[in-house]
Amino acid sequence: MQGSVSPRLADTAIVLAVATGGAVLLRAFLLAESWITVLALLAAFAVLLVAVQRRPLFEERLVAAFRRARKLATLWGIAIVAVFPWLLQGDSYALHLLIVANLYAVLALALNFQLGSANIPNFATGASYGIGAYASALLAIHLGVNFWICLLVAAVVATLFGFLLGLPSMRTRDSYQALVTIAFGIVVHQLLMNLEWTGGANGLVGIPAPTLFGHSFNDPITLFGHSLPGQGNYYYLSCALVGLAILSARRLHSSRVGLAWNALRDDELAARACGINVTWFKVQAFAVDAFLAGFAGTVYAFYVSFISPDNFTFLVSVTIMTMVIAGGMDNILGVIVGAFLLTMLPEKLRAFSDYRILFYGLVVIAFLIIRPRGIFPQRVRNHEH
């Protein structure tokens, strides 16, 4: 009895310690005002990564603990997410960064289905993000459609455009396929910029706030005498969206679709020889990416209440791809960490003024030198029949 209980207690301690430590590090990073503190926290994170990399057995022990205590890790993670905004001392800017980081995490997880799982380069995720935002905003402003209906309709519209992008992309491969997605993103941006009914360069203003059971998302959340600003509503909404993306990623990874995508990534010719419908599964990857991006675009549009074509440029797609590569392709945790790090880092380096982008690039390069396959690299698939 003692021999079976001890490893379980050890797994519990590891899960609670790592998850809580990560939350403490994130809180300190969000509330840090001095660039010295920011760089010190980044250095501490880098030292932890180096220490883990030099002790592969310890890394495997951590992974095994989270695998065996998956339910505990999930419940503790949900608890941390629920409590976290109340620990930010009412800092609305920190809440804003969390919301934007959550949305970019969804976009990175969406792209990961293509880039990480199937090795399909796609520089049009920003375009799908914009299509979802504009579709929902136009419905809300001109037709008065409820936010929750807009959320579904915008995701469907973005998915249809994903299919339209995926089908012609199947006639190309590798760098040529990437060029097709770049062209699609540029076309979408130019249409948003020049069409009169999209507001042109001026964008769309006055997107109404969502409501749920009579509660406006612009109103603060009050609980036990304490209150969160209205951004708290969008924080929990964006967290729910991240949860949906994680659940989709886990289910798809373990399904036949995920296996087919991995087969395409490893050897497309061999996958075709095994009877896998390569075209269909590639188009599916484009559709799933666009579906989640449409969701994220809708939440973003209603959160900021104003959107313009400049919010959905080619640079957005490049940033999302960088998040996936730097975080660790085909690794859910890695992609999320990459999205959070690369969303918050430019804001925290504003003290360097014109040089912050240079420091931003140097930090990304440093992390890729430390972990060439990403902060949390892809792990060998274990699939049981």
Side-chain angles (χ1 to χ4, degrees), residues 96 100 207 234 299-307 311:
H96 169 72
V100 176
I207 304 171
Y234 294 98
V299 175
Y300 176 78
F302 280 77
Y303 168 56
V304 298
S305 75
F306 163 75
I307 54 173
N311 299 130

Side-chain angles (χ1 to χ4, degrees), residues 62 87 107 209 229 253 269 276 295 343 358:
L62 291 177
L87 304 176
L107 293 170
H253 181 78
L269 183 60
I276 294 176
F295 269 145
T343 299
L358 172 62

Side-chain angles (χ1 to χ4, degrees), residues 17-350:
V18 172
T20 305
V24 170
L25 184 63
L26 177 60
R27 180 183 180 277
F29 190 77
L30 282 168
L31 297 180
E33 297 182 358
S34 168
W35 64 268
I36 298 177
T37 305
V38 171
L39 293 182
L41 290 171
L42 287 173
F45 184 47
V47 168
L48 287 174
L49 289 178
V50 172
V52 171
Q53 183 168 346
R54 291 185 175 181
R55 292 170 175 81
L57 292 179
F58 178 68
E59 183 175 2
E60 291 298 327
R61 180 70 182 89
L62 291 177
V63 173
F66 273 85
R67 184 184 298 117
R68 288 193 292 263
R70 183 173 298 172
K71 290 184 179 179
L72 173 65
T74 302
L75 292 174
W76 190 244
I78 293 173
I80 289 175
V81 167
V83 174
F84 196 79
W86 301 90
L87 304 176
L88 295 178
Q89 304 171 355
D91 192 326
S92 59
Y93 182 61
L95 263 177
H96 169 72
L97 285 181
L98 278 176
I99 294 167
V100 176
N102 279 336
L103 294 179
Y104 270 99
V106 173
L107 293 170
L109 286 169
L111 178 60
N112 187 53
F113 290 122
Q114 292 182 293
L115 186 63
S117 297
N119 194 29
I120 302 173
N122 181 6
F123 288 94
T125 302
S128 300
Y129 184 42
I131 290 170
Y134 267 87
S136 59
L138 289 170
L139 287 172
I141 293 173
H142 297 302
L143 299 178
V145 179
N146 181 277
F147 165 77
W148 305 102
I149 298 176
C150 288
L151 190 65
L152 295 175
V153 173
V156 171
V157 171
T159 304
L160 292 176
F161 275 93
F163 273 112
L164 291 177
L165 170 62
L167 290 174
S169 296
M170 294 308 98
R171 300 181 65 86
T172 58
R173 296 184 61 182
D174 302 327
S175 56
Y176 296 100
Q177 192 172 64
L179 287 174
V180 171
T181 62
I182 291 172
F184 178 81
I186 293 173
V187 168
V188 169
H189 181 262
Q190 289 301 309
L191 288 174
L192 295 178
M193 182 72 74
N194 293 289
L195 290 176
E196 183 178 349
W197 53 274
T198 63
N202 295 322
L204 296 173
V205 186
I207 304 171
T211 58
L212 182 64
F213 302 119
H215 174 75
S216 171
F217 275 43
N218 283 342
D219 295 336
I221 301 174
T222 303
L223 188 65
F224 303 122
H226 300 277
S227 65
L228 280 178
Q231 291 167 306
N233 299 289
Y234 294 98
Y235 165 78
Y236 287 115
L237 177 60
S238 62
C239 285
L241 189 56
V242 173
L244 174 65
I246 292 173
L247 181 62
S248 301
R250 291 186 63 86
R251 295 297 297 270
L252 284 171
H253 181 78
S254 302
S255 68
R256 291 182 179 273
V257 175
L259 287 170
W261 284 341
N262 286 171
L264 296 179
R265 179 189 64 200
D266 294 336
D267 193 324
E268 183 177 327
L269 183 60
R272 193 184 299 273
C274 291
I276 294 176
N277 189 333
V278 172
T279 300
W280 170 241
F281 282 106
K282 281 188 174 183
V283 172
Q284 273 188 317
F286 275 98
V288 173
D289 169 75
F291 183 79
L292 288 175
F295 269 145
T298 301
V299 175
Y300 176 78
F302 280 77
Y303 168 56
V304 298
S305 75
F306 163 75
I307 54 173
S308 72
D310 290 339
N311 299 130
F312 313 104
T313 60
F314 172 68
L315 182 60
V316 173
S317 298
V318 175
T319 302
I320 297 167
M321 183 167 287
T322 306
M323 292 171 177
V324 176
I325 295 172
M329 294 193 293
D330 209 23
N331 186 309
I332 297 173
L333 176 61
V335 169
I336 294 174
V337 172
F340 270 65
L341 180 64
L342 298 188
T343 299
M344 298 177 182
L345 194 57
E347 300 300 321
K348 289 298 178 179
L349 293 178
R350 283 190 179 275

